[in-house]
């Protein structure tokens, strides 16, 4: 049985804190201004560009355009008044939908996709971006499957 003294535990905690802080500082993406943590990077999406996501209970994964490919819950920067399409595919066989909400958590303009429960099945949501939109989210997995929208 290993005995851990208070001093040993505090040293390990301090070393872990330094490692985490250094990783956050070194993991940045200069082009997108993010910190590389898989969800806080902002990605400017040009009008008319189809946005593709894969839905899993743990997160949305960007699959297109290439800037968001592989990103978890990417922050999408949209242009106010422009048209966008989000196509998303069920990645795990659980029920999912895609909702666009405002900062109060209310659905904006009835923007809720169909529920998709079969793995590999897809659906789309077409909308015009406006300033009230702050979040895209799965109504079934609101804690993990949520990304930010920034409308400029």
């Amino acid at each position: 049985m290993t005995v851990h003294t208070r001093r040993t535990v505090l040293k390990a905690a301090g070393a872990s804190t330094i490692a985490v802080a250094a990783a956050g500082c070194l993991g940045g993406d200069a082009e997108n201004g993010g910190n590389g943590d898989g969800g806080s990077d902002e990605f400017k999406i040009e009008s008319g560009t189809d946005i593709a996501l894969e839905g899993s209970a743990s997160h949305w994964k960007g699959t297109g355009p290439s800037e968001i490919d592989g990103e978890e819950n990417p922050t999408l920067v949209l242009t106010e008044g422009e048209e966008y399409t989000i196509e998303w595919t069920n990645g795990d066989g659980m029920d999912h939908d895609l909702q666009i909400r405002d900062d109060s958590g209310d659905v904006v303009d009835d923007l809720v996709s169909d529920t998709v429960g079969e793995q590999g099945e897809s659906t789309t949501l077409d909308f015009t971006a406006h300033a009230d939109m702050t979040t895209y989210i799965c109504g079934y997995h609101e804690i993990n499957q949520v990304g930010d929208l920034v409308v400029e």
Side-chain angles (χ1 to χ4, degrees):
M1 173 181 226
T2 304
V3 176
H4 298 286
T5 65
R6 182 173 185 262
R7 179 173 294 189
T8 303
V9 171
L10 289 173
K11 281 183 182 178
S16 296
T17 301
I18 291 169
V20 168
C25 292
L26 298 174
D29 180 348
E31 182 176 330
N32 291 309
N35 66 8
D37 71 358
S40 63
D41 289 346
E42 291 185 353
F43 299 92
K44 177 76 174 159
I45 307 296
E46 297 299 322
S47 174
T49 302
D50 288 341
I51 302 163
L53 302 170
E54 180 179 285
S56 298
S58 60
H59 63 277
W60 290 107
K61 180 173 79 174
T63 59
S66 62
E67 296 88 353
I68 68 168
D69 189 30
E71 294 288 327
E72 291 186 11
N73 298 325
T75 297
L76 306 176
V77 180
L78 311 176
T79 303
E80 188 164 10
E82 297 295 327
E83 300 289 323
Y84 293 91
T85 298
I86 298 177
E87 177 179 11
W88 67 271
T89 303
N90 185 309
D92 62 7
M94 298 179 75
D95 282 345
H96 300 283
D97 65 3
L98 185 134
Q99 303 177 9
I100 296 182
R101 296 186 184 176
D102 62 20
D103 60 1
S104 297
D106 297 325
V107 173
V108 176
D109 297 334
D110 297 319
L111 290 171
V112 178
S113 75
D114 293 335
T115 296
V116 174
E118 187 174 321
Q119 187 170 7
E121 186 179 1
S122 297
T123 191
T124 60
L125 190 62
D126 299 314
F127 62 95
T128 301
H130 58 84
D132 291 348
M133 300 174 173
T134 60
T135 306
Y136 63 96
I137 191 167
C138 173
Y140 296 93
H141 307 104
E142 296 181 351
I143 301 298
N144 298 321
Q145 200 175 350
V146 57
D148 292 327
L149 294 173
V150 176
V151 180
E152 301 177 329

